[in-house]
Amino acid sequence: MDPMVHKLDLAATRSRLQLLHELRAAGKRVHGIANKTVASKHTGQWLGVLPEPPACLLPAIDALKVAEASWLGQLVQDRPGIQQQLARAVYPWLRSWLPHEAYAADAGGAKRTLRKLWKNG
C-alpha cells in the first residue's frame, strides 16, 4: 500500500482486499507493507486509514534515483545506499517469518535471503 489513499477506493483494490480477507479467514498469513513511506506529520493519519497495520514501512525512494537506475539497466535497490536503507526497513519483518535456522548465529542468513529475493524477483 502506498500513501495515495484514493487507491483504497478503486475496484481493483477492493477485490484484492477481499481476497486477502479470504486468505486470512482460511488461516493463511497475510502481511501488509507500507510502500513509499515519507517522514511527515501526516504519516500516522495515512497509516491509520489502512485496512491493517503494516508489517513494515518501506521508505520512499527518490524518483530520480529510480529513473537513473532504470536507464543504467539496474535495479534501484542495487544502488549505493538504497539497498542498506531498504534492508533496515524490511529486515525485522523478514526475520520474524524466516525459520530460525535461516538466520542462526548472525543476520547473514536473513540478509542473504533478502538479497536473493531482490535479485530473483
Side-chain angles (χ1 to χ4, degrees), residues 25-48:
K28 303 293 182 184
R29 290 193 301 178
V30 176
H31 304 272
I33 296 175
N35 194 21
K36 302 177 189 171
T37 304
V38 295
S40 164
K41 64 181 182 177
H42 303 289
T43 301
Q45 293 172 328
W46 161 54
L47 295 174

Side-chain angles (χ1 to χ4, degrees), residues 56-102:
C56 70
L57 307 175
L58 294 180
I61 304 298
D62 184 328
L64 178 59
K65 291 181 180 183
V66 175
E68 286 176 341
S70 178
W71 296 334
L72 295 171
Q74 299 173 339
L75 298 173
V76 72
Q77 61 264 31
D78 291 335
R79 303 283 290 180
I82 302 294
Q83 186 176 62
Q84 295 81 4
Q85 191 179 7
L86 293 173
R88 277 191 306 274
V90 86
Y91 176 71
W93 168 73
L94 181 64
R95 187 172 178 178
S96 75
W97 60 266
L98 280 175
H100 178 72
E101 308 79 54

Side-chain angles (χ1 to χ4, degrees), residues 1 13 15-34 50-56 93 96-97:
M1 299 166 251
T13 302
S15 69
R16 288 183 185 113
L17 288 171
Q18 178 61 37
L19 175 60
L20 294 175
H21 176 74
E22 291 168 7
L23 290 169
R24 189 179 290 112
K28 303 293 182 184
R29 290 193 301 178
V30 176
H31 304 272
I33 296 175
L50 297 178
E52 65 182 72
C56 70
W93 168 73
S96 75
W97 60 266

